[in-house]
Amino acid sequence: MRRTTLLLASCGLLLAACTLPIPSGQQQSSAASSSNVSSEETQVQGEEIGEGMPLTEERTETGALAEHMLSTGVLEVGKREAPLTLLMFTEHHCSYCRQFLFEIFPRLKTDFLETGTLKLQIAMLPLQKYQASNDASLGFICSAAQGKGLVMHDTLFRNPNKSKAAILSYAVDLKLDTALLDDCMKSARTKAMLEGQQTWAQSLGVDVVPAFFLNGEKFLGLPYYPDLKGRIAETLKKLNEQ
């Protein structure tokens, strides 16, 4: 475990995140923000991807939320007309990303997604360190193309085997078209989508996962849910005051 001091536009919280090997020479830029938020130094607790998996194994209740894949390969969950957008960069070996799905997502779903206040966009940031990281990301994108991205996302976090063969076996259980999924994972177009998401993340200065952008405002690491809920409420209030 190691600690990295990052400059964040957020309150002073101890956040949990998995560090990413982003090249030091990569130019970074911040996402546009519609509000003025004071910046201060915050400790982000990082760990190597795949280390220290949480003990919880319950299946995430994804329910009947609307989901569709954007042209970029990003999965959008919730009502398209929702006034707030929470963009998340994640990776299937990251224990804190897994914790977000199992512990925070169900509450986010009830409080904001189902009410139409917020939509969640899920983008992938695979790591070369893990041989199956690319396959997991491609499998997720291709499952999203068949309307089952969220349930595959859940399946990949629950199962340690994320190889292509394993993904195709999960696809059978999820009643996906496995031939179509296989072709999609080999497609140059799908690989270009994934590369585009990696480039996008780097251009936004993302060097840990999970990383979030709420209507353009960046914050890193696993948030405490009460703080995330408060941030969403404050952003909605400012939006309504405009």
Side-chain angles (χ1 to χ4, degrees):
M1 301 286 290
R2 62 192 180 89
R3 295 180 181 271
T4 305
T5 301
L6 295 172
L7 193 62
L8 305 179
S10 65
C11 56
L13 302 175
L14 182 65
L15 303 179
C18 301
T19 57
L20 298 176
I22 302 296
S24 59
Q26 176 70 42
Q27 183 178 1
Q28 301 180 349
S29 61
S30 299
S33 173
S34 59
S35 60
N36 294 321
V37 182
S38 61
S39 297
E40 58 187 53
E41 286 191 349
T42 302
Q43 290 280 311
V44 175
Q45 182 177 338
E47 71 170 6
E48 292 300 320
I49 301 296
E51 178 185 330
M53 300 298 283
L55 297 177
T56 179
E57 285 294 337
E58 71 270 19
R59 187 179 185 86
T60 303
E61 290 298 327
T62 57
L65 280 174
E67 64 172 87
H68 68 281
M69 189 181 78
L70 304 180
S71 60
T72 54
V74 172
L75 178 66
E76 186 172 270
V77 181
K79 297 180 180 179
R80 295 188 186 190
E81 64 272 18
L84 302 183
T85 300
L86 181 64
L87 168 65
M88 175 186 186
F89 286 95
T90 186
E91 198 275 343
H92 290 108
H93 292 85
C94 171
S95 59
Y96 292 124
C97 301
R98 185 176 187 268
Q99 191 174 347
F100 175 87
L101 181 65
F102 285 176
E103 298 180 10
I104 294 180
F105 176 78
R107 301 175 72 179
L108 199 67
K109 171 179 174 283
T110 300
D111 292 342
F112 298 107
L113 295 174
E114 291 180 338
T115 63
T117 303
L118 178 81
K119 56 180 175 285
L120 175 67
Q121 294 180 345
I122 304 173
M124 299 309 305
L125 189 52
L127 303 175
Q128 294 182 356
K129 177 179 179 179
Y130 293 94
Q131 187 175 2
S133 186
N134 247 45
D135 282 339
S137 296
L138 292 170
F140 166 71
I141 292 172
C142 292
S143 297
Q146 293 191 41
K148 292 191 175 182
L150 200 53
V151 70
M152 178 60 83
H153 194 50
D154 176 83
T155 298
L156 287 168
F157 275 115
R158 288 188 299 108
N159 291 279
N161 190 346
K162 309 179 200 301
S163 67
K164 183 176 181 180
I167 292 168
L168 291 174
S169 71
Y170 303 150
V172 174
D173 295 334
L174 299 177
K175 296 180 170 34
L176 288 160
D177 184 327
T178 54
L180 186 61
L181 185 70
D182 187 23
D183 288 343
C184 176
M185 290 180 68
K186 294 185 289 190
S187 166
R189 180 173 178 269
T190 308
K191 292 176 182 178
M193 285 181 181
L194 184 56
E195 290 172 1
Q197 291 180 30
Q198 289 176 282
T199 301
W200 186 25
Q202 291 177 9
S203 74
L204 294 174
V206 173
D207 55 4
V208 299
V209 287
F212 301 90
F213 294 85
L214 177 59
N215 273 30
E217 182 185 346
K218 177 181 175 182
F219 56 103
L220 305 177
L222 182 69
Y224 297 109
Y225 185 70
D227 296 308
L228 177 59
K229 185 176 181 179
R231 183 190 291 270
I232 293 171
E234 182 64 22
T235 303
L236 183 63
K237 180 182 176 182
K238 291 179 179 179
L239 187 66
N240 290 334
E241 290 174 350
Q242 291 180 356

